[in-house]
Amino acid sequence: MTFARDTPIDDQDTLPRMPGWITLARSETLEDVAFLSGAALAHLHLVLRHEEVPQPLFRDRLALRAAEACMTFSGRPERAGELRDTVHLLRLGDLPGPAGETYLSWRRAAERSLSVKALGRALPTFEPDQIATWLDAGQGVPVTRAALVLEVVLTDAPRAETSSLILADAALAQALGWDHVVPLLAVGLKRTDLRKRGDDLRLACHRALVSSAVEAVRLAADLARRAAHLKAVAPKLRAKGAGDAVEMFLTRDAIAPSALPLPDRAARRLCDRLVDLGAARELTGRDTFRLYGV
């Protein structure tokens, strides 16, 4: 599964593109695919160091796409639009349901600095000691560590596909020295890959990370352009609280006007103004219960 690309707001890249030899190579052996995944992750690592990339927004959008992939793995019909509705239109006291819980798990895993405590918040059905034990099962270079964690969690808890993928991404992030979980593996893997073990699973993880890292770099570049445009038009927003609202748009995949720190009518006007300025998009296509995002 690959990321759906948003339409860029201009044709000029603000971040370096992934080298073509990574995206065009067709390799079958574990050694060759491991080389390509290492190169792709190294390039992504450099891109993530650019201050132009709105990191919280980037991870939140990846979390949505990882949750969507998990819906496919479990045979559920919910896709990005339904997942957004389930979480962002949730009212106090409502239950998010299985799809919403999956999306919330990914969001919680990616939003806070990487730690066993943060992962425990994202995966409340597992004890922190169990999470730490699973993470310690990963040894070796980054992708090998991630594959080992994925394998051991699925062996101990065969139905915990979402949890296994979150923890595998956590192991990968730890090995790469990243401060946060960056959801990558779920989007690149196939459902049948989750039944593989040993070298077959490692090969599947390397392949998945080549494709997902390439698409993540494209997403980062697009979000960098969109964030720059939003910051450029921000001085034109005169509503009280507009600055705080802009910061929220730079951290969340989608926002309901009611979540903004403004009165309801002012919040709706601000969202419409951002759309008019080309700094935000209405994501639902509805006349009511709208959601907006960069």
Side-chain angles (χ1 to χ4, degrees):
M1 178 179 178
T2 58
F3 301 159
R5 292 189 61 187
D6 294 318
T7 303
I9 62 172
D10 60 50
D11 295 328
Q12 183 179 1
D13 289 328
T14 59
L15 300 176
R17 294 184 180 183
M18 187 77 72
W21 58 266
I22 296 177
T23 61
L24 297 176
R26 295 292 181 266
S27 300
E28 296 298 328
T29 68
L30 178 58
E31 180 182 27
D32 289 344
V33 179
F35 176 77
L36 292 174
S37 72
L41 287 170
H43 187 83
L44 176 59
H45 180 85
L46 294 176
V47 165
L48 295 183
R49 294 169 66 90
H50 282 256
E51 63 181 13
E52 295 92 340
V53 179
Q55 301 290 343
L57 172 58
F58 173 71
R59 294 192 304 272
D60 202 37
R61 191 148 292 172
L62 289 178
L64 172 65
R65 289 165 176 176
E68 187 178 31
C70 288
M71 293 299 98
T72 300
F73 294 152
S74 62
R76 296 188 62 89
E78 292 88 351
R79 294 299 177 259
E82 292 88 352
L83 291 170
R84 280 172 171 150
D85 284 353
T86 298
V87 169
H88 295 290
L89 299 178
L90 197 66
R91 296 181 179 179
L92 186 64
D94 288 348
L95 296 177
E101 288 290 356
T102 296
Y103 183 19
L104 287 171
S105 291
W106 278 107
R107 295 190 76 209
R108 290 166 180 161
E111 69 184 0
R112 297 194 177 190
S113 295
L114 178 55
S115 68
V116 170
K117 182 178 180 180
L119 291 170
R121 179 175 174 270
L123 306 172
T125 57
F126 297 111
E127 294 295 328
D129 288 347
Q130 178 64 78
I131 291 173
T133 298
W134 279 332
L135 288 177
D136 288 342
Q139 302 293 329
V141 295
V143 181
T144 297
R145 287 175 63 173
L148 285 171
V149 170
L150 182 60
E151 181 172 347
V152 72
V153 177
L154 286 174
T155 299
D156 293 346
R159 295 186 178 181
E161 293 174 337
T162 295
S163 299
S164 67
L165 289 161
I166 289 174
L167 292 174
D169 274 328
L172 181 70
Q174 281 184 329
L176 292 170
W178 293 347
D179 294 333
H180 292 77
V181 172
V182 178
L184 293 173
L185 276 166
V187 179
L189 288 169
K190 301 175 182 177
R191 184 177 185 178
T192 54
D193 290 332
L194 300 182
R195 296 195 291 270
K196 296 176 181 177
R197 296 294 182 264
D199 285 349
D200 289 339
L201 181 58
R202 286 173 57 204
L203 179 60
C205 287
H206 281 297
R207 284 176 173 159
L209 288 167
V210 173
S211 63
S212 60
V214 167
E215 293 295 340
V217 167
R218 291 173 179 162
L219 175 64
D222 186 48
L223 291 179
R225 291 191 296 269
R226 293 178 182 276
H229 184 57
L230 175 59
K231 292 175 183 178
V233 305
K236 299 179 181 180
L237 306 173
R238 298 181 180 180
K240 186 177 180 180
D244 291 337
V246 167
E247 289 302 313
M248 291 179 66
F249 273 97
L250 292 172
T251 61
R252 303 186 188 183
D253 165 72
I255 296 176
S258 60
L260 295 174
L262 292 88
D264 287 346
R265 180 177 291 182
R268 291 194 296 270
R269 284 200 302 264
L270 176 67
C271 291
D272 290 338
R273 175 65 171 152
L274 287 173
V275 172
D276 290 341
L277 292 169
R281 297 168 294 146
E282 201 290 309
L283 301 172
T284 68
R286 297 188 296 249
D287 294 330
T288 59
F289 299 104
R290 289 181 160 189
L291 296 173
Y292 298 82
V294 172

